[in-house]
Amino acid sequence: HILFFKIARAVQKGSEILLYLAYPVFIAVLFFKNDIFYLKSVAACGAGFAFVSLFRGLYNAKRPYEIYDIKPLISKNSAGKSFPSRHCFSAAVIAMSFMVIGLPLGAAALALAVTMAVLRVAFGVHFIKDVLLGLFLGIVVGSIQFFI
C-alpha cells in the first residue's frame, strides 16, 4: 500500500509540476513566434482562473476531510473552497491551450489533468463533483480561447 501511495503521489505531483511549468514555456514560444494566440490564452486562462477563484470563495464548499472523519492522504490544511477544483480547472485549461500546437500534445495534457482529478478525489482533498466541474470549466474556457 505504501509503495502504491508513493507512486500515486509522485504521479499527481509530477503531472501538476509538468503542466504548470510547461504553460509559461508554451506562452513564451508563441510570443517569440509572434503568434497572437498567446494573448488569447493568457486572457482566457486568467479570466477563467479569477472567476473560478471568486466563485469557490463565495460558495465555500467544505472538503471531504472536513465533513467525514478522514485524514487526507496529502498534506492539506485549508478549509472550504473545494468546489470547483482550481487544480483541475488549471490543468484542463492549460491542456486545451496546448491543442493549438497539436491534438496529441493537448490530449496528453488532458490525460494528465484527468489523472490529477482522479488522484485528488482518491487522496481525500476533493469530492468528485469538485473535480468534474473544474475539468468541465477548464475545457469550456480553454475552448473559448479558440474563438476570441
Side-chain angles (χ1 to χ4, degrees):
H1 290 46
I2 293 173
L3 178 61
F4 176 76
F5 168 73
K6 286 183 179 182
I7 292 170
R9 177 68 178 131
V11 167
Q12 194 273 329
K13 197 63 173 169
S15 298
E16 187 179 315
I17 290 169
L18 182 63
L19 285 171
Y20 296 167
L21 290 179
Y23 185 68
V25 172
F26 164 78
I27 294 300
V29 167
L30 292 181
F31 175 80
F32 288 114
K33 288 176 73 176
N34 289 324
D35 187 329
I36 196 74
F37 188 81
Y38 84 90
L39 284 175
K40 294 177 182 185
S41 181
V42 169
C45 293
F49 188 83
F51 170 77
V52 167
S53 296
L54 178 65
F55 176 81
R56 69 189 238 142
L58 294 172
Y59 190 73
N60 200 25
K62 291 185 177 184
R63 294 177 178 273
Y65 57 82
E66 294 177 273
I67 295 174
Y68 303 109
D69 188 24
I70 61 169
K71 182 177 185 252
L73 296 178
I74 55 176
S75 179
K76 195 77 176 160
N77 296 324
S78 61
K81 299 179 183 173
S82 180
F83 180 78
S85 167
R86 273 193 314 201
H87 276 90
C88 293
F89 168 81
S90 298
V93 77
I94 289 169
M96 294 304 293
S97 294
F98 290 171
M99 296 284 184
V100 77
I101 293 174
L103 185 58
L105 177 63
L110 203 50
L112 288 177
V114 170
T115 300
M116 283 175 50
V118 169
L119 291 173
R120 293 189 71 74
V121 171
F123 292 159
V125 296
H126 279 293
F127 290 106
I128 292 172
K129 65 181 172 68
D130 303 341
V131 300
L132 288 178
L133 185 61
L135 290 171
F136 175 76
L137 291 173
I139 290 169
V140 169
V141 170
S143 297
I144 289 171
Q145 64 190 330
F146 290 98
F147 301 104
I148 56 175

